[in-house]
Amino acid sequence: MASLLSCPHCGTRPREEFTVRGDATLIRPAADAPQSEWEAYVFLRDNPRGWHKEHWHHTGGCRRWLVVERHTVSHAIRSVVDAGMRA
Amino acid sequence: MFDIRLVSKAALADARFGQSGAIGPKGPGVVLSALPETSLLSLLAAPDAVALLERLAALATHEQAQLRSAGYAQWLLIGAVGTSLDLVAIEAALGRDAALVDLGHARVRISIAGPSAADALAKGCAIDLDPEAFPPGRSAQTLLGHIGVHLTRIGPEAFELIVMRSFALNLWQDLLVLSRAFGVDARAATDL
């Protein structure tokens, strides 16, 4: 259930405390990359069926950015890690 | 000549005080108190800070202040009533290892205590307030209803809430509603 999320800093908290930003796997283009690449990076998104890595912000708690691995069909959560501490 | 006179006023000056709900022979289940306003500092650790917690604990002892965890690498330092934290000394002691923000005028503290305090809070907050899971001394930044609060367990039946000043009156009203079923005595800061 995605209605509860285990924050690595705060423990189990309700989804109301979080803000979802979206895809956490995007790679920022180089500053001089062509405009089409920047347009894709800013505007175009996949809508995957299955496991998805997303940026979530614990707005109502520790205010850290987290990377949540979520199944878009079942809403199961596989992992939650601090975005600043990813290997 | 000024057209508007600025008047310093406690955030909860216009709050509803007194008893409400059914108070039995054992007294109120919840005692709600507005706490006197004090110095309050927010601290955020620099990524490379070393042994910061020990240094903060020593600072807190020296300043007769309370140190409370406020999330990952963040703390609140609450000055004693009637004195001001020595910001210059704290800044000098921490140097570049922590960012300081003075929140003294931006936050309001509310005490909620009594045999039913945890039951009243549990109606509006998702934290497990069982003493095993949330023992005295433990703090959490969370939501109470739609309002962000910093919650600390002070004792077995006592909690303290720290809330943004502009939400204090709203939170107070919410706490009164949540507590009414247990019988509540709401006290102004001057009654302490």
Side-chain angles (χ1 to χ4, degrees):
Chain A
M1 278 299 292
S3 56
L4 288 177
L5 206 74
S6 279
C7 170
H9 306 299
C10 304
T12 306
R13 297 295 183 91
R15 194 171 56 186
E16 286 77 5
E17 290 191 5
F18 298 86
T19 315
V20 187
R21 177 170 171 265
D23 196 342
T25 61
L26 295 169
I27 295 163
R28 189 181 173 87
D32 58 353
Q35 189 171 338
S36 59
E37 266 185 55
W38 274 102
E39 267 174 16
Y41 171 72
V42 173
F43 296 111
L44 302 182
R45 293 291 179 269
D46 290 336
N47 186 14
R49 179 185 169 90
W51 291 105
H52 194 215
K53 282 188 176 174
E54 298 163 333
H55 274 130
W56 287 45
H57 183 247
H58 196 180
T59 316
C62 59
R63 305 195 299 271
R64 294 286 296 185
W65 280 102
L66 310 170
V67 174
V68 174
E69 204 175 356
R70 184 178 68 93
H71 197 283
T72 56
V73 180
S74 68
H75 290 296
I77 304 279
R78 194 153 66 179
S79 70
V80 184
V81 293
D82 189 290
M85 301 173 188
R86 276 196 290 178
Chain B
M1 277 298 290
F2 296 105
D3 292 341
I4 299 171
R5 284 207 168 277
L6 296 176
V7 180
S8 172
K9 185 172 150 184
L12 291 168
D14 298 328
R16 226 185 81 202
F17 300 113
Q19 298 192 336
S20 58
I23 295 179
K26 288 182 177 174
V30 175
V31 176
L32 206 55
S33 314
L35 294 174
E37 296 183 15
T38 61
S39 293
L40 202 149
L41 265 188
S42 166
L43 299 140
L44 176 67
D48 55 354
V50 177
L52 192 63
L53 184 54
E54 290 83 352
R55 289 158 63 196
L56 290 177
L59 267 176
T61 307
H62 181 260
E63 294 275 339
Q64 293 180 314
Q66 299 175 61
L67 186 69
R68 302 209 183 138
S69 168
Y72 175 75
Q74 299 167 73
W75 296 270
L76 292 173
L77 192 64
I78 301 161
V81 175
T83 63
S84 288
L85 290 170
D86 189 344
L87 295 187
V88 176
I90 293 170
E91 208 154 15
L94 296 174
R96 301 178 62 84
D97 288 340
L100 274 60
V101 181
D102 183 356
L103 293 175
H105 297 282
R107 296 288 184 275
V108 171
R109 295 188 304 137
I110 294 171
S111 154
I112 175 167
S116 301
D119 294 334
L121 283 173
K123 290 186 191 178
C125 133
I127 302 247
D128 182 357
L129 295 174
D130 186 280
E132 297 265 314
F134 200 75
R138 182 72 56 86
S139 293
Q141 179 74 35
T142 185
L143 294 177
L144 193 80
H146 67 285
I147 300 174
V149 295
H150 184 270
L151 172 71
T152 303
R153 190 182 216 120
I154 305 292
E157 294 183 347
F159 299 85
E160 196 176 289
L161 297 165
I162 302 176
V163 64
M164 284 183 181
R165 189 185 180 94
S166 55
F167 285 106
L169 199 53
N170 192 168
L171 181 69
W172 184 268
Q173 287 161 340
D174 286 353
L175 290 169
L176 279 177
V177 171
L178 294 174
S179 305
R180 193 169 297 148
F182 310 105
V184 55
D185 186 8
R187 301 173 184 174
T190 48
D191 301 343
L192 294 172

